[in-house]
Amino acid sequence: MQEGGLWPDASALAVAVGSVTEAITYTKSASLHLWLLGYEFTETILVFTKSELHAMAGPKKTDILAQLSDACAAAGVTLRLHPKPKKEDGSTQIEALLAACKASADTPVIGTLPKEKPQGAVPEAWLAAVAGSGLATSDMAADLAALLSPKDDEEAKNVRKAAYLVSNALTKFAVPQLEGIIDEEKKVRHSKLADKIEEVISEPSKMEIKLKADSVDIAYPPLVQSGGDYDLRLASASKDTHIHYGVIVCSLGARYASYCANVARTYFVDPSKQQEAEYAALQEAQAAAVAALVEGAPMSAAYEAVVETLKAKGQDALVDKLTKNVGTAIGLELRDTTQQLNTSNSKPVKAGMTFNVAVGVSGLMREDAESDAGKSYAMLVADTVVCKPGGAPPDVATTLAPKDWKEVAYYLKDGGEDEAEVVEVEDDVAALAEVGMRKSARTEHVDFKAREEERRRQKENQEDLLQRVNQATLDMLSKGGAGGGAGSGVGRKITDIQAYRSVTDMQHNNSLTVQVDHRAECVLVPIYGQLVPFHILTVRNASNNQDGEHAYIRLNFNFSGAYEPCAKHPQAAILKELSFRSSDIRHAAKVVQEIKALRSAVMQRDKERAERATLVQQEKLVRGKGRVYALPDVWIRPAFGGKGRKVTGTLEAHFNGFRYTSPKGEELDIMYRNIKHAFFQPADNEMIALVHFHLVNPIMVGKKKTNDVQFYTEVMDSVQTLDAGRRSMYDPDEIEEEQRERERRNQINRQFNQFVKRVQQDIWERDYGDLNLEFEVPFRELGFHGVPHRTNSFIMPTVNCLVELTEMPFTVITLGEVNLVNLERVGFNLRNFDMVFIWKDLNRDDWLTSIEIKYYESKVNLNWKNILKSIKEDPEGFIEDGGWSFLDAEQSDSEEEGDEEESDFAPSDAGGESEEDASSEDASMVSEGEEESEYEAESDEEAGLDWDELEEQAAAEDRERSFSDDGGNEEFARKRKSKGGGGGGGKKPRR
């Protein structure tokens, strides 16, 4: 306001407003529609004078405004209320307000906001009265903007939240979208990508950002520009043309609680050295502009810093192409035109002010561009900054959006080092995990000419791996790893089985019938007029057959024909079977059923007892103090035993382990130190979201011993009832149902992801860093279909494992325990092949090179049972003969070709193998039923054979195959023989 106005200077207004700062906040339009004590006052007129505050409103609103009297009195201001009675036009009150204005000074000037057009009868009447009063008016927008430009802590916090939102929208969505478009060379329109970005900003939950959706809005439609058509003004719009793979400018703005933030970045595809130098200078100039915005410095210092930096970098041409300003103040307004960062604005920078520092140049030319669209380009770098008090450097709120050259430059062409720095990318699963399994062209330019060299290096790595694998196998077998391996199972000895301690313990009736004593767990059978007890574990099975009016009960006992009476009881007889005839058919059926049920229950109990005896004692759970992270409403697999409907439970993360609790009172503890691998699989293309634990030592879940425990939630019903009626794809009910399912899926994924992150960061990394525990996420992009348990499954790799976690039984293969891999039935005409994992422990029933696993390929299936048996019989001879190199099909083929060449010089009667014998030996290399493809084996002559001739030929081939040994064992023996081994099953004689 000017001198003689209602309040002559902005400082007086600041005192009054500051005294009631907790009660008054301005809306985003910066109009004088005020929010007081939580109520919106739209039909209210406030008049500020030098010493008074006049308020005109309805009776209820004036009662609320009366609460500000004490705050106004503390600031030396008198509060005057002018209540407007209902059903009156307020003319009387308006005249009172005009009288107060006239009495405030000799020549009063009323400050107004001419750009604001308030609606309503009372405001319109007030403006008309002011216009007809003859009083002078002045535009107070600039003064009011200067007054409100410094932000308090709460306002600055809202600006930072908006900056956090827009930075994540750029890095987590816009940049990956651009990278996919660049890598796959898609044709996408600028406007379409901008619309997608706007949807993400409006819904922070899509980026897993916890901001209130009601408080979030876009500051302006996102701008995506390329192809020579650039307009760096925020008021411009994204074109409907396709994105050009040259220079792409992306600008995003967001609001949180009405406060704005802005960020802009420039991305280059196959840039030139000139563009790299220009961008480096522009980036330093923008950083200099940010550094110049310190408290007390003039706002023009930012523009001057940009010009000086560009000239110092030798980019005088960029100075002439700079925009008119290098930014503006930002806050409730996206652009405060009264506080621009240009050469003419000498207003001082105040602590708490927020700026959008945007340094851009346009109209640049690239002479070596391949197309006209790539010749003209522009560059823009913008950030939201918050000024600090005491001359401290300002804080960049959008620092999450990277702007270094290596983060914004992309290379697609096969250029040399003169164009870009070549960074070799190896097929490392861990490296792929670090970049999120995303293909990117950013700076990691692949030299395609070096691929042959890479393949040669991989072959050398495979040779080195072979030496290590052979040595590891020899060390394992030499330490006794080949011995047994089965171990002595925990069970009950025959001497431990006892029905009764003495005859007096027998409780039975006097009936000489077959009876079951459940308490003693035995069966009583009549023999020679006496009831003789047999423990239920001595009975193998019981059966009941009916023949006319009689039923026959047959009991078979655990008897081995090779058993001989011991020396202690040479006259003892071994009982094998007993049969009884009964006239009571019902009794016979009942007693047989009881025997079967009792035997099943006792065996199940003993099995559980034996399994529990082999368990490793776990530590006790220490419950967490304070806040405990929980994952509610999850099912467990394998499930607890018992009847009744299964219910969901809660998984809690405590100090040293997890505890799962069901509403039935069942509990299961999983200690962190017993977890070997942890997996998190979101519900992407799956019906469930899950966390899975593969354990070091098995635990009991219910009555079952298991090494895998899983907790999951279904994102939608796996079974749906289908009626006969048809539903249209535009059916509102179906669309709403799909929307609910999509929201439920996203909600469950967020819930699981939050639980996993908290456990990972707050517990495992902080307290159990020595265990290197980490939730691994399967890489669906690298998954493949297989049959690990004779059922079709989708197997996915993780950093350390191959897993299938959706269907039971689960598959978890630890790659660190694999010695080598053999790929069988590999051929150009086959779409499927077999993958055999050979463990480092032989007693256990292509990223492979990058994770240091030796692998081979073959066209046949091998008999691994006989191969492993031969290896364990003579481990030293196996290593001397080349070890696992016998699996090398290429080497085998070269040796066979060498043998054929030598046989050409041998006499015809040298007693060599005939062609039939040779074909028989080749056929024996494969497992039964596996040969070369029938399409490859057919000749031109066989094409004319009839069915009878074909059947005779097939029978002859079957006879030849029947005389050969198992394929895998014979190939292994033949391989060792070609290496110089002797006879006797292929073993090499010792010296």
Side-chain angles (χ1 to χ4, degrees), residues 388-405:
K388 292 185 176 181
D395 183 16
V396 180
T398 52
T399 186
L400 288 179
K403 54 186 174 182
D404 293 338
W405 177 253

Side-chain angles (χ1 to χ4, degrees), residues 184-486:
E184 301 177 15
E185 298 184 359
K186 297 180 180 179
K187 290 187 177 180
V188 179
R189 299 184 185 275
H190 298 92
S191 57
K192 184 176 181 180
L193 179 57
D195 292 341
K196 291 183 178 180
I197 297 174
E198 181 176 344
E199 292 178 2
V200 171
I201 295 176
S202 301
E203 298 184 20
S205 59
K206 292 184 177 181
M207 298 178 291
E208 299 180 356
I209 296 178
K210 290 186 175 181
L211 291 177
K212 296 180 180 179
D214 297 339
S215 301
V216 171
D217 193 6
I218 61 169
Y220 61 92
L223 295 177
V224 182
Q225 305 177 34
S226 67
D229 189 2
Y230 301 92
D231 187 352
L232 302 184
R233 296 177 303 168
L234 298 182
S236 59
S238 300
K239 306 295 183 181
D240 289 333
T241 55
H242 292 102
I243 296 176
H244 179 262
Y245 309 136
V247 178
I248 305 172
V249 177
C250 189
S251 301
L252 282 71
R255 294 181 184 271
Y256 183 80
S258 301
Y259 287 85
C260 302
N262 180 63
V263 66
R265 295 290 183 265
T266 304
Y267 301 96
F268 302 84
V269 181
D270 291 328
S272 63
K273 284 293 184 180
Q274 176 187 353
Q275 290 177 331
E276 182 178 358
E278 291 174 345
Y279 181 81
L282 188 72
Q283 183 181 354
E284 289 192 21
Q286 198 255 359
V290 173
L293 294 175
V294 295
E295 185 179 12
M299 296 183 188
S300 58
Y303 194 93
E304 296 172 356
V306 171
V307 174
E308 292 176 0
T309 304
L310 292 178
K311 290 182 178 180
K313 290 295 181 179
Q315 298 292 339
D316 294 337
L318 297 184
V319 177
D320 299 332
K321 300 182 182 300
L322 272 174
T323 53
K324 295 181 180 179
N325 59 73
V326 293
T328 62
I330 193 172
L332 292 173
E333 294 289 340
L334 177 63
R335 300 181 306 276
D336 188 350
T337 56
T338 63
Q339 302 185 57
Q340 297 182 356
L341 303 179
N342 53 27
T343 55
S344 60
N345 188 2
S346 59
K347 295 179 181 179
V349 177
K350 298 179 181 179
M353 297 183 69
T354 53
F355 290 94
N356 170 34
V357 182
V359 181
V361 290
S362 59
L364 303 176
M365 300 298 294
R366 178 176 180 177
E367 300 299 335
D368 60 343
E370 297 180 355
S371 62
D372 294 338
K375 289 184 178 180
S376 177
Y377 63 95
M379 296 185 298
L380 176 65
V381 179
D383 286 291
T384 301
V385 300
V386 180
C387 299
K388 292 185 176 181
D395 183 16
V396 180
T398 52
T399 186
L400 288 179
K403 54 186 174 182
D404 293 338
W405 177 253
K406 65 178 181 179
E407 300 292 344
V408 299
Y410 296 80
Y411 296 91
L412 297 179
K413 298 179 181 178
D414 295 336
E417 294 183 358
D418 56 338
E419 291 190 13
E421 180 184 0
V422 177
V423 181
E424 297 180 354
V425 181
E426 298 184 358
D427 294 333
D428 192 342
V429 174
L432 291 176
E434 291 178 359
V435 299
M437 301 307 297
R438 166 177 55 82
K439 183 180 74 171
S440 174
R442 176 188 297 156
T443 308
E444 300 170 342
H445 179 65
V446 180
D447 189 356
F448 295 97
K449 297 179 181 179
R451 285 191 173 181
E452 291 298 327
E453 180 66 20
E454 180 68 20
R455 292 177 181 176
R456 184 190 63 78
R457 189 175 61 195
Q458 288 185 1
K459 186 175 182 181
E460 294 178 355
N461 293 341
Q462 285 287 314
E463 295 297 330
D464 295 338
L465 287 174
L466 175 60
Q467 301 297 330
R468 293 164 54 182
V469 166
N470 288 339
Q471 185 62 38
T473 303
L474 179 61
D475 294 342
M476 189 275 298
L477 296 176
S478 301
K479 294 179 181 179

Side-chain angles (χ1 to χ4, degrees), residues 111-130:
T112 61
L113 299 173
K115 292 184 179 181
E116 297 293 334
K117 302 297 181 182
Q119 297 179 356
V122 175
E124 291 176 358
W126 164 253
L127 293 178
V130 172

Side-chain angles (χ1 to χ4, degrees), residues 69 80 87 261 403:
S69 58
R80 304 290 185 182
K87 298 181 180 181
K403 54 186 174 182

